[in-house]
Amino acid sequence: MITGKNYIGNQLSAKGSKTFKTFNPLLNIENQWEITEASQDEVNQAAELATEAFKTYSKTSGAKKAQFLRAIADEIEALGDELLQVYSSESGLPNGRAKGERGRTLGQLRAFANHVEEGNWVDASIDTAQPDRKPLPKVDLRKMNVPLGPVVVFGASNFPFAFSTAGGDTAAAIASGCPVIVKSHPMHAATGEMVSSAVIKAAEKTGMPNGVFSNLNSSGIEVGQQLVQHPKVKAVGFTGSIHGGRALYDLAAKRDEPIPVFAEMGSINPVVILPQALNNRAETIAKTYAGSITLGTGQFCTNPGLIIGVKSAGLTSFVNTLAEEIVKVEPSCMLHPNIAGAYETNKSKALSQSGIKVLAGYENDVEPNYARQVVTTVEGDTFLNNPTLHHEVFGPFSLVVQCEDKQQLEDIISNLEGQLTGTIISDDNEVAEYSNVVNALQNRVGRIIFNGVPTGVEVCPSMLHGGPYPASTDSRFTAVGVDSIKRFVRPFSFQDWPNDLLPDELKNENPLGIIRNVNGKLTSQKI
Amino acid sequence: MITGKNYIGNQLSAKGSKTFKTFNPLLNIENQWEITEASQDEVNQAAELATEAFKTYSKTSGAKKAQFLRAIADEIEALGDELLQVYSSESGLPNGRAKGERGRTLGQLRAFANHVEEGNWVDASIDTAQPDRKPLPKVDLRKMNVPLGPVVVFGASNFPFAFSTAGGDTAAAIASGCPVIVKSHPMHAATGEMVSSAVIKAAEKTGMPNGVFSNLNSSGIEVGQQLVQHPKVKAVGFTGSIHGGRALYDLAAKRDEPIPVFAEMGSINPVVILPQALNNRAETIAKTYAGSITLGTGQFCTNPGLIIGVKSAGLTSFVNTLAEEIVKVEPSCMLHPNIAGAYETNKSKALSQSGIKVLAGYENDVEPNYARQVVTTVEGDTFLNNPTLHHEVFGPFSLVVQCEDKQQLEDIISNLEGQLTGTIISDDNEVAEYSNVVNALQNRVGRIIFNGVPTGVEVCPSMLHGGPYPASTDSRFTAVGVDSIKRFVRPFSFQDWPNDLLPDELKNENPLGIIRNVNGKLTSQKI
């Protein structure tokens, strides 16, 4: 049952006076549930509870945290089809996507369970004492990762499961030993409440402290601001727009005690198609990219918004085929009227720039909130000189930049803002001649792809989802994969600490059997 | 020969019109050398050169970087006694300290050389492709750490060698593959120039690109501000005051592209002495701490500025002995008249607070720039209610807080700002009864010490030198030890990248023989 209330720890709570409703973009009507926005009192309560919970939760063993994470996955699964229906009714995303994204979310939770159960992630490091060292004796030092404290997670509009309530950020923070307060995304607040009920059930079943998880509703920005400014909050995870992420980053940086904000923000994901590849298989590439541009109504942060090539017959053939293929795709629904509206506004702004030409766009009438895809083109020097064209148009939009030569290609890449991904489409040996272009691209992105599409973010340890600003606010961490746990921990050293009072991870006898760096050597041996 | 010029890459340069002189605090006179402050033009040149150098230096092998780091150490050694004399004449620190700190600096450079030569630090992670996976094939992903770009290092006043020109931050950045621009500390600019000449000589001898290192002089804050705001600068290392570190952090956070600032700032390093320990060995502890408080004229960031105990006969005996012992210590010279002046000002401010009592202080006349040590005491509730008493007095000063009970002890710890270190003095089994106090302390510090003193920072992999704000601006990284390299790198993923174009660290054949995480298992095997 959806109550529209907040979860302040294990308790449903609705002290605020402001309510709102979510929207079904497919039916173009409001959903039935009345959601109550959290009050400042509830924000404070959630933060206090999380701080209290941190005292015990931060010391909870990897095995116990793994039980909790697996229980969350099980409880989400147990919500069955009803959850998928609510998801679709709040996002317009089809049932297949709902199922796939739920699968990914469960997979993430279970991957983090395995990760903390295995336990190597704490990066245990031990330097044993040398009491006889000259001129000074050496002390015993032992270091491992410990959790930061209460973490606020902002749900993402475009991933109601995988990057929201119990998504990647939440799973990472919970795995690290940090309590989580979710600022539920207003577009899918009911989905968020259902998933929250699963998290709370899992916390109760596995004996986790009250306050290890809270879920707060809001339609505006106030609750989020209150959370980021709350002195007991120690880190923030966010997925969304550059505007929103930067605002949170700025708030956090101005605190008396600044805290890290891990915002994964916009990206246009440049794709460079090299000449021989264009010459040999322009049409195949164009067909592939027509699919990637429109995948999920272009609502992926890895959507290829920028395609770059050097002028040639091959490039002409590519743009012609792309134009033909793009209009064959059946338009689909966007997440919300606001997102559909922003798409139209940003598209119009891009199209109004001097020198931009429409290659092709879907022209027929569509249902409300459906996005009509469009592909455009521009000359290299026009692109170089107009920063507006470097900005993301969130949705099924892409811009093909036609360069004069290799040097202009390199200049364009070097002048891009930070990006999540960069892609090189190349015939086998061609890329070796473009090392300057590849190096320039590498400096601008977090992940570089050979002969593929940027959409499709594999959840695995070697994934880096992030990149130089503004792709993310901190390029030193990934938002996807088990290494994202590192965002919410800090290393901590014990000096000459009694063995029996050390955490198990650092005890001489290595009771957890983890791999540790002992006097410079990786080993799972006892000391 | 000391020219007073800046190094813009390999070139000595003095385009600015402003000059200044350093000061010999022992002789209480200005030093002879005229130092020329860097101009904005020179700042820009250094940043441009560093960016150009980054293109090749970022791809330089661990073996080559190790040669460079070792050559720096060798060239510093080759400067011989003259360097030690200049060091002492600009810091007032004695020859023994100069030698010891030089040894530590050379040790750091060589430890980083070993670290990058071994190569495991890149955290290579490989997930191989599964082309037959259902429903979707899995791509090949390979991740490793890559350098961020040009790094600015601010020299510290209190470590003219180990945390300045070629100190820990510089060694870490150079090891990571980042060019370094040093903002030389104005109090030891001539020492900085000599060390810079060694770095430049090493860069030339080992064939490093021009711009891999620059050294800029300034007496004020402008050059530092220009550097932190320069768009080509990608990270900042700083050791110094909270005021200075926070100003740089704020500047960096306001940039169009915010960059990380790793500032290691002030700390009062709380020491908790438990009742049985006080009861059994108050006098021994007091003698040890009289030494730690005055070590290096109290000019260490780990100086024990705060000692906390519960009222008892033992605590009374401790304060009495501390009072007797502290005045036996012969006062010594501070780094600079400004630092001696700040010590007097901050000491007076602390002493003027209501409820604070002087236990004992050195009363005799001293030479100019010498610091007269003082130990003070205050009641627990007075301390709790007066934040001024929580601030660092940089120099040989300490405050003993006398608590009513265990609960007040815990409250005091919980209300402290972030600290570099926390120390527990305990008889063997006593600490087990104080788990709340220990947990509270752990949440406030970066390193916790059992029955020792916080002064003396061992340089080893398990050291964490940093801590919650304001001990440092980013508690997730250490400023000491080889792991400090992690501040200047970001993980980077290659997707389906051709094997022969991958960095050696990620190639199938593992030509460097490093330990990698391959499909979830640590191994140095080929693929």
Side-chain angles (χ1 to χ4, degrees):
Chain A
M1 201 197 75
I2 292 159
T3 68
K5 295 183 180 178
N6 308 284
Y7 273 103
I8 311 297
N10 298 351
Q11 296 300 312
L12 282 166
S13 175
K15 294 187 185 163
S17 53
K18 199 168 162 190
T19 63
F20 65 97
K21 289 188 169 182
T22 59
F23 197 89
N24 186 323
L26 280 164
L27 303 179
N28 203 32
I29 54 167
E30 275 191 333
N31 287 306
Q32 55 179 316
W33 314 293
E34 188 160 277
I35 313 292
T36 306
E37 194 150 330
S39 66
Q40 171 84 62
D41 262 10
E42 287 167 317
V43 167
N44 293 344
Q45 277 173 38
E48 293 291 341
L49 264 187
T51 304
E52 197 53 36
F54 182 68
K55 289 185 184 169
T56 50
Y57 190 62
S58 61
K59 311 272 179 195
T60 299
S61 70
K64 280 273 181 196
K65 288 187 290 189
Q67 280 178 14
F68 180 28
L69 287 159
R70 290 192 186 110
I72 296 172
D74 294 346
E75 294 295 336
I76 291 172
E77 260 184 320
L79 292 169
D81 285 351
E82 191 194 340
L83 178 63
L84 304 182
Q85 286 153 16
V86 173
Y87 168 104
S88 291
S89 72
E90 292 193 313
S91 67
L93 295 168
N95 186 258
R97 158 72 189 264
K99 268 192 185 157
E101 193 183 331
R102 181 180 63 181
R104 176 176 168 168
T105 307
L106 305 178
Q108 289 174 166
L109 288 160
R110 288 165 181 153
F112 276 109
N114 296 341
H115 197 54
V116 294
E117 198 168 51
E118 181 208 48
N120 294 333
W121 73 275
V122 300
D123 285 342
S125 173
I126 298 176
D127 289 285
T128 53
Q130 297 173 15
D132 300 327
R133 191 183 63 175
K134 304 288 172 204
L136 290 171
K138 184 176 180 182
V139 295
D140 181 286
L141 277 161
R142 302 183 183 216
K143 187 171 72 170
M144 65 178 274
N145 291 327
V146 300
L148 287 179
V151 170
V152 168
V153 171
F154 285 77
S157 66
N158 61 341
F159 278 96
F161 287 154
F163 281 93
S164 289
T165 321
D169 290 347
T170 298
I174 283 181
S176 75
C178 294
V180 169
I181 305 171
V182 171
K183 210 296 282 172
S184 181
H185 199 283
M187 291 183 190
H188 49 256
T191 307
E193 185 189 333
M194 287 187 77
V195 174
S196 295
S197 74
V199 179
I200 294 295
K201 219 175 250 180
E204 288 175 336
K205 280 191 179 170
T206 57
M208 295 298 141
N210 186 19
V212 73
F213 180 85
S214 290
N215 182 57
L216 305 183
N217 299 312
S218 79
S219 59
I221 60 172
E222 295 78 11
V223 169
Q225 289 175 333
Q226 289 162 7
L227 283 167
V228 173
Q229 292 178 308
H230 199 289
K232 305 230 161 172
V233 168
K234 299 301 179 193
V236 176
F238 171 90
T239 307
S241 70
I242 294 179
H243 179 77
R246 181 64 191 246
L248 296 178
Y249 175 88
D250 288 344
L251 267 187
K254 280 182 201 144
R255 289 168 47 126
D256 284 347
E257 177 193 354
I259 55 171
V261 171
F262 303 99
E264 191 264 274
M265 306 185 290
S267 206
I268 52 174
N269 302 293
V271 177
V272 176
I273 315 181
L274 298 182
Q276 278 180 42
L278 278 172
N279 194 45
N280 294 340
R281 49 193 175 98
E283 294 181 12
T284 318
I285 302 165
K287 284 178 188 173
T288 303
Y289 269 86
S292 180
I293 292 163
T294 52
L295 191 73
T297 327
Q299 298 172 123
F300 291 116
C301 42
T302 50
N303 194 57
L306 183 69
I307 299 169
I308 318 172
V310 176
K311 284 180 187 170
S312 66
L315 185 60
T316 304
S317 162
F318 172 80
V319 296
N320 290 342
T321 311
L322 184 64
E324 284 164 25
E325 292 295 324
I326 201 81
V327 292
K328 292 182 189 167
V329 179
E330 209 51 54
S332 50
C333 189
M334 295 199 91
L335 295 157
H336 192 273
N338 291 356
I339 289 186
Y343 173 60
E344 288 302 327
T345 306
N346 292 328
K347 192 169 69 171
S348 301
K349 187 170 177 194
L351 296 180
S352 72
Q353 301 301 304
S354 164
I356 198 167
K357 277 183 241 167
V358 171
L359 285 170
Y362 193 87
E363 303 266 324
N364 297 337
D365 286 348
V366 291
E367 298 288 321
N369 309 317
Y370 277 53
R372 291 190 290 193
Q373 63 271 18
V374 62
V375 287
T376 59
T377 190
V378 73
E379 301 274 320
D381 56 351
T382 310
F383 181 81
L384 258 178
N385 295 317
N386 186 350
T388 301
L389 295 174
H390 300 211
H391 295 159
E392 185 181 16
V393 176
F394 187 77
F397 173 93
S398 197
L399 172 62
V400 181
V401 179
Q402 307 201 25
C403 300
E404 294 305 317
D405 51 27
K406 200 170 166 180
Q407 183 58 51
Q408 192 175 54
L409 181 61
E410 191 188 331
D411 291 347
I412 284 174
I413 306 280
S414 302
N415 282 286
L416 288 175
E417 292 189 312
Q419 307 288 337
L420 292 168
T421 71
T423 301
I424 301 274
I425 307 290
S426 158
D427 268 17
D428 282 356
N429 299 317
E430 192 180 9
V431 67
E433 297 159 35
Y434 285 81
S435 61
N436 282 355
V437 170
V438 171
N439 289 341
L441 189 60
Q442 210 180 318
N443 278 336
R444 302 283 71 215
V445 308
R447 171 168 57 112
I448 198 165
I449 299 151
F450 190 75
N451 281 340
V453 291
T455 43
V457 178
E458 184 70 35
V459 182
C460 71
S462 305
M463 171 55 69
L464 189 284
H465 191 64
Y469 185 89
S472 73
T473 46
D474 195 335
S475 67
R476 291 164 303 145
F477 297 91
T478 179
V480 168
V482 287
D483 278 350
S484 63
I485 198 173
K486 294 183 182 170
R487 294 174 297 171
F488 304 122
V489 296
R490 61 184 176 107
F492 184 87
S493 286
F494 296 86
Q495 180 171 321
D496 288 338
W497 208 251
N499 187 59
D500 56 334
L501 298 179
L502 282 168
D504 284 351
E505 288 87 345
L506 297 177
K507 286 190 166 103
N508 286 336
E509 54 271 34
N510 194 14
L512 303 176
I514 60 173
I515 296 172
R516 313 187 291 188
N517 189 325
V518 179
N519 296 321
K521 295 283 165 215
L522 288 175
T523 173
S524 55
Q525 298 290 303
K526 305 175 183 189
I527 290 166
Chain B
M1 202 196 76
I2 292 159
T3 67
K5 295 184 181 178
N6 308 283
Y7 273 102
I8 310 299
N10 298 351
Q11 294 299 314
L12 282 168
S13 175
K15 293 188 186 163
S17 52
K18 201 168 161 187
T19 63
F20 64 97
K21 288 187 169 185
T22 59
F23 196 89
N24 186 324
L26 281 164
L27 303 180
N28 202 33
I29 52 166
E30 275 191 333
N31 287 306
Q32 56 179 314
W33 314 292
E34 189 160 276
I35 312 293
T36 306
E37 194 150 329
S39 66
Q40 172 83 63
D41 260 9
E42 286 168 317
V43 166
N44 294 346
Q45 277 174 37
E48 293 291 341
L49 264 187
T51 304
E52 197 53 35
F54 182 68
K55 290 185 185 171
T56 50
Y57 190 62
S58 61
K59 311 273 178 194
T60 299
S61 71
K64 280 274 180 194
K65 288 187 291 189
Q67 280 179 12
F68 180 28
L69 287 159
R70 290 190 187 112
I72 296 172
D74 294 345
E75 294 295 335
I76 291 173
E77 260 185 318
L79 291 170
D81 284 351
E82 190 194 341
L83 177 65
L84 304 182
Q85 286 154 14
V86 173
Y87 168 104
S88 291
S89 72
E90 292 192 312
S91 68
L93 294 168
N95 186 258
R97 160 73 189 266
K99 269 192 186 155
E101 193 184 330
R102 181 180 62 181
R104 176 175 168 171
T105 306
L106 305 179
Q108 289 174 168
L109 288 160
R110 288 165 181 152
F112 276 109
N114 295 341
H115 197 53
V116 294
E117 198 168 51
E118 181 207 47
N120 294 331
W121 73 276
V122 300
D123 285 343
S125 173
I126 298 176
D127 289 284
T128 53
Q130 296 173 15
D132 301 328
R133 191 183 65 174
K134 303 291 173 202
L136 290 171
K138 184 175 179 182
V139 295
D140 180 286
L141 277 161
R142 303 184 182 215
K143 187 170 74 171
M144 64 178 275
N145 291 326
V146 300
L148 286 179
V151 169
V152 168
V153 171
F154 285 78
S157 66
N158 62 342
F159 278 96
F161 287 153
F163 281 92
S164 288
T165 322
D169 290 347
T170 298
I174 283 181
S176 75
C178 294
V180 169
I181 305 171
V182 171
K183 210 297 281 171
S184 180
H185 198 285
M187 292 183 189
H188 49 256
T191 307
E193 185 189 333
M194 287 187 77
V195 174
S196 295
S197 73
V199 180
I200 293 297
K201 220 176 249 181
E204 288 175 337
K205 280 190 180 172
T206 57
M208 296 299 142
N210 186 20
V212 73
F213 180 84
S214 291
N215 181 57
L216 304 183
N217 299 312
S218 79
S219 59
I221 60 173
E222 295 79 11
V223 170
Q225 289 175 334
Q226 289 163 6
L227 283 167
V228 173
Q229 292 178 308
H230 199 288
K232 304 229 162 173
V233 168
K234 299 302 179 191
V236 176
F238 171 90
T239 306
S241 70
I242 294 179
H243 178 77
R246 180 65 191 246
L248 295 180
Y249 174 88
D250 288 344
L251 267 186
K254 280 181 202 146
R255 288 169 47 127
D256 285 347
E257 177 193 353
I259 55 171
V261 172
F262 303 99
E264 191 264 272
M265 305 184 291
S267 204
I268 53 175
N269 302 294
V271 177
V272 177
I273 315 182
L274 298 182
Q276 278 179 43
L278 279 171
N279 194 44
N280 294 341
R281 50 193 174 98
E283 294 181 11
T284 318
I285 301 166
K287 284 178 188 171
T288 303
Y289 268 85
S292 181
I293 291 163
T294 52
L295 191 72
T297 329
Q299 298 172 125
F300 290 116
C301 42
T302 52
N303 194 55
L306 184 69
I307 299 170
I308 318 172
V310 175
K311 284 180 186 172
S312 67
L315 186 59
T316 304
S317 162
F318 171 81
V319 296
N320 290 342
T321 312
L322 184 63
E324 285 163 25
E325 292 295 324
I326 201 82
V327 293
K328 292 183 189 165
V329 179
E330 208 51 53
S332 50
C333 188
M334 295 199 91
L335 295 156
H336 192 273
N338 291 355
I339 289 187
Y343 173 61
E344 289 302 324
T345 306
N346 293 328
K347 192 168 72 171
S348 301
K349 187 172 177 191
L351 296 179
S352 71
Q353 301 301 305
S354 163
I356 198 167
K357 277 184 239 165
V358 171
L359 286 170
Y362 192 88
E363 302 266 326
N364 299 337
D365 285 348
V366 290
E367 298 287 321
N369 309 317
Y370 277 54
R372 290 190 291 193
Q373 63 270 20
V374 62
V375 287
T376 59
T377 190
V378 74
E379 300 275 319
D381 56 352
T382 310
F383 181 82
L384 259 177
N385 295 316
N386 186 349
T388 301
L389 296 174
H390 300 209
H391 294 160
E392 184 181 16
V393 177
F394 186 78
F397 173 93
S398 196
L399 172 63
V400 181
V401 179
Q402 307 203 26
C403 300
E404 293 305 316
D405 52 27
K406 200 170 166 178
Q407 183 58 51
Q408 192 175 56
L409 182 60
E410 190 187 331
D411 291 347
I412 285 173
I413 306 281
S414 303
N415 282 285
L416 289 175
E417 291 188 313
Q419 306 288 337
L420 292 169
T421 72
T423 301
I424 300 273
I425 307 290
S426 158
D427 268 17
D428 281 355
N429 300 316
E430 192 180 11
V431 67
E433 297 159 35
Y434 284 80
S435 60
N436 282 355
V437 170
V438 172
N439 289 341
L441 190 59
Q442 210 180 318
N443 278 335
R444 302 283 72 217
V445 308
R447 171 168 58 112
I448 198 166
I449 299 150
F450 190 75
N451 280 340
V453 291
T455 42
V457 178
E458 183 70 36
V459 182
C460 70
S462 303
M463 171 55 70
L464 189 284
H465 191 64
Y469 186 91
S472 72
T473 45
D474 194 335
S475 67
R476 291 164 303 144
F477 296 91
T478 181
V480 169
V482 286
D483 277 350
S484 63
I485 198 173
K486 293 183 181 169
R487 295 175 295 172
F488 304 121
V489 296
R490 62 185 175 106
F492 184 87
S493 285
F494 296 85
Q495 181 170 321
D496 288 337
W497 207 252
N499 186 61
D500 56 335
L501 298 180
L502 283 168
D504 283 351
E505 288 86 345
L506 298 177
K507 286 191 168 102
N508 286 336
E509 54 271 34
N510 194 16
L512 303 175
I514 60 173
I515 296 172
R516 314 188 289 187
N517 190 324
V518 178
N519 296 319
K521 296 283 165 215
L522 288 175
T523 174
S524 55
Q525 298 290 301
K526 304 176 186 190
I527 290 166

